[in-house]
Amino acid sequence: MRSAIAGQVISQVVREWRTIARAPIDVANPLMFFFLGISLFAIGTGGEREGLAEIGPAVIWVLVLLANLLSLDTLFKRDHADGTLEQLLLLAQPVFVPVLGKVIVHWCFTGVMMTLLTPLSALVMNLTLDQTWILMLTLILGTPSLSLIGAIGAALTVGLRSGGVLLALVVLPLYLPVLIFGVSAAYLAGDGLAVTAQLYWLGAIAVLALTLAPFAVTQALAISVEQT
Amino acid sequence: MTIKELWHRLGSPRWFYQMMGPWGTGLGVAAALLLITGTLWGLIIAPPDYQQGNSFRIIYVHVPTALVCQSAYIMMGVAGFLFLVWRMKLADMVVKVTVPFGMVMTALGLFTGSVWGAPTWGTWWEWDARTTSMLVLLFLYFGLYALRQAIPRAESAGRACALLALVGVINIPIIKYSVDWWLTLHQPATFTLTEAPSMPAEMWLPLLVNVIGVYCLMGAVVISSLRTEILRRECNTSWVREELMGEPA
């Protein structure tokens, strides 16, 4: 039974992956926004190198949050528009299976991608090599929580006209702990201090989100589908 | 009446409407008396602080509002759980009517804190741990309010908000811990359940009166807005017509 569910999740991941690979612009847009936003900060502050290094980790993390938020808008939208979502909810398999598959793929195309882009943004923001490593580590640990928590908000707002801004209002306050631990780890690393506690916290939040969020997303999807 | 009976009775908005009228009034009167007593006592009779002088007196507004807005959110989370699991209509209405009250109280707590911070910390705003978590609480209330406004169907809006309130309640301790991570400028909590207060009695008694008063106020506001909400939702039923117009059903 257990392996059957794992198999279902994997086939869901493969399906999502193919869907996105066939329309890659949907995932490329948030990434371009991410890099554009960071550059805007660098340009807007006059490009002064010490100042950039000071705000760097915070700017990168905030842009990760925002790019993530923008990409969440499309997480369930297409499936909701063409009725696939309804069919997914009607399947005999537990609903968290497709949800988990979707979130995993979303994370691969946002969180992982932005982590991989971090050396580039760290260069723009004049961060040290140590800081860059720690930043990447916190991003890879923190972004799963962002995708999971964000999916709750995306599921709640999927059928609504005022989707975008509302999604930000609902989700951003819930992102706060991840932001704090991620940013503080990067700053501590900049001062040469230990960051294990922050990494443990980020890992713990990710595990908690992975445990609880799929069920909240399932509930939220049922509510959203019911109202249309 | 046993608890089980009460539980079943609470499923009926009509019963709640008819039973709770006197409770709402009673709590309202109690809140008015307590808040007037506590505030006058705190502002006029209580001795000034040996360090902060008279500026500490805003504690009599700040602490009660800051306490009640967190309790209101937790109450909303519990009500949201009740609504999601048992579909109890009344619980949904509790979630709905608590949001504006909690939002106002959080804003008041932040405002009074800022006013208090100006003379004692020397700044109107400081990104201190508890200030930050109160601000996030305000944002959580905003999110709930906006979500409710955005969903046209009342039933769906209720379930969506209940779910979001529940997610928020799980998040609040994590948010608190994460912002506590940054060293805090804030003085430790005035009241804890486990220790005797560090203030002299003539200073904390009026505070206690105001805290109880503001909780009575919450009860009164929630009950009276619940009764209005019940009338609005049940406006097509015969009992409401009978209640309001005196016509036989």
Side-chain angles (χ1 to χ4, degrees), chain A residues 119-161:
Chain A
L120 208 58
S121 18
L123 205 67
V124 173
M125 293 313 275
N126 193 30
L127 299 185
T128 64
L129 194 61
D130 277 352
Q131 270 183 313
T132 312
W133 278 120
I134 293 296
L135 202 57
M136 288 177 76
L137 210 53
T138 57
L139 280 174
I140 206 80
L141 277 173
T143 45
S145 320
L146 300 186
S147 293
L148 285 159
I149 298 170
I152 304 176
L156 280 175
T157 56
V158 64
L160 303 176
R161 268 185 296 117

Side-chain angles (χ1 to χ4, degrees), chain B residues 24-221:
Chain B
T25 325
L27 280 172
V29 171
L33 287 178
L34 285 167
L35 286 174
I36 291 172
T37 319
T39 308
L40 289 180
W41 188 356
L43 293 187
I44 299 168
I45 301 167
D49 186 71
Y50 79 105
Q51 270 184 328
Q52 301 186 10
N54 279 322
S55 69
F56 98 98
R57 290 183 196 276
I58 201 164
I59 198 175
Y60 298 113
V61 189
H62 177 65
V63 168
T65 50
L67 273 176
V68 83
C69 64
Q70 298 174 44
S71 312
Y73 202 97
I74 292 166
M75 182 177 89
M76 232 163 39
V78 173
F81 181 75
L82 293 181
F83 181 59
L84 283 179
V85 176
W86 287 282
R87 298 283 175 96
M88 191 191 262
K89 281 189 223 161
L90 206 57
D92 169 35
M93 297 185 215
V94 170
V95 177
K96 180 174 182 186
V97 303
T98 313
V99 172
F101 177 79
M103 210 151 66
V104 169
M105 283 299 151
T106 318
L108 257 180
L110 279 169
F111 173 72
T112 51
S114 166
V115 170
W116 195 6
T120 49
W121 294 349
T123 168
W124 290 92
W125 187 261
E126 179 65 42
W127 287 102
D128 152 75
R130 267 199 274 167
T131 321
T132 313
S133 48
M134 282 291 278
L135 188 66
V136 178
L137 191 66
L138 186 64
F139 291 146
L140 288 174
Y141 276 119
F142 281 165
L144 267 174
Y145 187 75
L147 188 66
R148 168 89 58 179
Q149 298 297 317
I151 303 179
R153 233 182 101 224
E155 160 83 14
S156 310
R159 288 177 63 200
C161 289
L163 186 68
L164 187 61
L166 202 57
V167 173
V169 163
I170 296 174
N171 254 273
I172 282 178
I174 304 177
I175 293 173
K176 271 187 107 67
Y177 273 112
S178 68
V179 292
D180 275 347
W181 202 265
W182 286 334
L183 276 178
T184 169
L185 183 68
H186 208 289
Q187 53 182 298
T190 311
F191 281 148
T192 54
L193 289 176
T194 47
E195 286 166 37
S198 56
M199 288 200 270
E202 58 264 36
M203 277 159 96
W204 64 256
L205 266 176
L207 183 54
L208 188 64
V209 170
N210 260 3
V211 168
I212 298 172
V214 88
Y215 275 91
C216 288
L217 180 69
M218 174 164 89
V221 170

